[in-house]
Amino acid sequence: MSDSEDERRDEEQSEEDEDDYEDADGAAASAAAAANANEIMDRLKKQSAEAKAASKKQAKKRKRMSPEELEEYNKAQEKKGLIYLSSLPLMMTPLKLRQHMSQFGSVGRVFCQPEDPKARKRRVKAGGHRRKRFSEAWVEFDDKKIAKRVAASLNGTTIGGKKGDLHYDDMWVIKYLPKFKWNNLTERIAYDNAVREQRLQTEMAQVRRETNLFVEQATKAKAILAMEKRHKMAKGAGGAAGAAAAAAAEAVSKSGGGHARTVKQREAIESREF
C-alpha cells in the first residue's frame, strides 16, 4: 500500500514538473518576443527622432532675406543649370566628382545619392567590397550654358585621365535637366523624407499590433495550460480516492480469512389469504 502511494505521488510530481517546465518555456518565449518587439520599436523611434532633428537643424540654418536679396537670389538661381548623372563609377565620391566637373566651369552644389543599404549588405555578404557606393548624382553649374555644354560633350564618353587611373575606362552618363533647379531637388528629398517618416510610423504601428496580439495569445495559452493542469490534478485526486477504496476493500477481505461472509436468509413467506 505504501509503495503504490509513493508511485502515485512520484507520477503527480513528475506531471507538475512537466507543467512547470511548459509554463517556464512559454513565459521565456513571451519575454523574448516582447523584448524583440521593444527593440524594433526603439530603433524605429530613434530613426524618426534623428530625421526630425535633421529637419529642424536645416530649418535653423535658413535666414530670412530682404526683398532685394531675394530678388538677386532668384536672378542668380535662374542663371544656374543642373545636370544629372544616372550612374556613378565605383569609388567615385562627391569630392572627386566636383574635381572632375570643376575643370569645365564654376560648380555650385553637388549631391550624390548613397546606394540602398540593403543592396550594400547583400554585396558585402556575397564577398564584394565594403566601400560606400553612390547610385546617382546631381551637379549644379553657375552658368546653365556650361551645364548644357558639359552634358552634350561628356555623355557617352570615357572619364579618361592618366593611363593608370581607377576611372580611366569608366563612362559618363549625363543629362542636362532643363527648367530644373536645386530647390526642385530639395523638394524631392523632403518628399522622400516625408514618405520615409510615414513608412516608419506604419511599421511602428504594425509592430505594436503584432506585440499586443502575441501578448494576448500568450495570456490565453497560459490560462488554457492552467485549466489543463487543474483538470489533471482533479483527475489524479479521483483516481487516488478510488485506489484507496479498493485497497481498503482488499484489506477487509483479507482480514476475514480470505472467505466471503454469508448471512443466512429466511425463506420468503407466501401470501396468505385471510
Side-chain angles (χ1 to χ4, degrees):
M1 179 174 170
S2 60
D3 294 339
S4 61
E5 290 181 356
D6 293 338
E7 291 177 357
R8 179 174 53 81
R9 290 175 182 175
D10 293 338
E11 291 178 357
E12 292 178 356
Q13 184 65 31
S14 62
E15 291 178 357
E16 292 178 359
D17 294 339
E18 290 178 358
D19 294 336
D20 294 338
Y21 290 149
E22 291 177 358
D23 294 341
D25 293 339
S30 177
N36 189 17
N38 293 332
E39 183 179 357
I40 294 174
M41 292 181 65
D42 292 341
R43 184 169 67 251
L44 294 176
K45 288 180 180 179
K46 184 178 180 181
Q47 292 177 357
S48 177
E50 290 176 354
K52 289 182 180 179
S55 62
K56 289 182 180 180
K57 188 176 181 180
Q58 291 290 336
K60 287 182 180 179
K61 287 183 178 180
R62 302 190 189 100
K63 295 181 180 179
R64 183 172 295 180
M65 301 172 64
S66 63
E68 294 80 8
E69 293 176 346
L70 181 60
E71 185 178 357
E72 292 179 1
Y73 176 79
N74 291 333
K75 289 181 180 179
Q77 292 298 317
E78 288 297 329
K79 295 179 181 178
K80 294 182 178 182
L82 205 66
I83 63 173
Y84 170 67
L85 291 83
S86 61
S87 64
L88 289 177
L90 179 65
M91 297 177 65
M92 175 67 75
T93 62
L95 180 59
K96 290 183 180 180
L97 181 60
R98 178 182 290 275
Q99 291 175 354
H100 281 289
M101 295 301 164
S102 298
Q103 301 173 5
F104 308 101
S106 178
V107 176
R109 289 165 286 193
V110 177
F111 176 74
C112 296
Q113 178 67 37
E115 66 175 335
D116 186 10
K118 294 182 180 178
R120 181 177 181 272
K121 186 176 181 180
R122 287 194 298 268
R123 185 183 68 249
V124 173
K125 188 175 181 180
H129 63 89
R130 296 177 174 271
R131 296 199 177 187
K132 188 176 182 181
R133 289 194 62 179
F134 298 93
S135 57
E136 53 187 355
W138 290 262
V139 180
E140 182 186 47
F141 285 90
D142 293 337
D143 190 349
K144 64 175 66 176
K145 295 180 181 179
I146 296 177
K148 292 180 182 178
R149 194 179 306 120
V150 168
S153 60
L154 293 184
N155 186 36
T157 62
T158 56
I159 296 177
K162 295 182 180 180
K163 187 74 174 178
D165 286 347
L166 179 63
H167 304 115
Y168 180 81
D169 294 325
D170 292 323
M171 187 174 292
W172 291 116
V173 183
I174 305 176
K175 181 181 180 180
Y176 174 71
L177 301 177
K179 299 181 182 180
F180 192 87
K181 303 301 178 182
W182 195 264
N183 58 348
N184 302 123
L185 178 60
T186 55
E187 288 174 0
R188 176 188 169 182
I189 296 174
Y191 172 77
D192 293 341
N193 290 336
V195 172
R196 178 172 172 271
E197 179 71 18
Q198 184 64 30
R199 186 172 66 251
L200 289 175
Q201 292 180 0
T202 304
E203 291 178 357
M204 289 173 64
Q206 180 66 21
V207 170
R208 194 178 296 110
R209 285 195 297 269
E210 292 178 355
T211 304
N212 293 336
L213 179 61
F214 179 83
V215 172
E216 182 180 357
Q217 295 295 332
T219 304
K220 289 183 179 179
K222 190 174 181 180
I224 292 172
L225 290 175
M227 291 173 61
E228 292 178 353
K229 184 177 180 180
R230 288 196 297 269
H231 287 316
K232 288 181 180 179
M233 292 177 66
K235 186 177 180 181
E250 184 180 358
V252 170
S253 64
K254 287 182 179 180
S255 63
H259 301 285
R261 292 182 179 182
T262 57
V263 179
K264 185 176 181 179
Q265 300 289 336
R266 293 181 180 181
E267 296 181 0
I269 300 175
E270 297 180 357
S271 61
R272 298 177 181 180
E273 295 180 359
F274 295 96

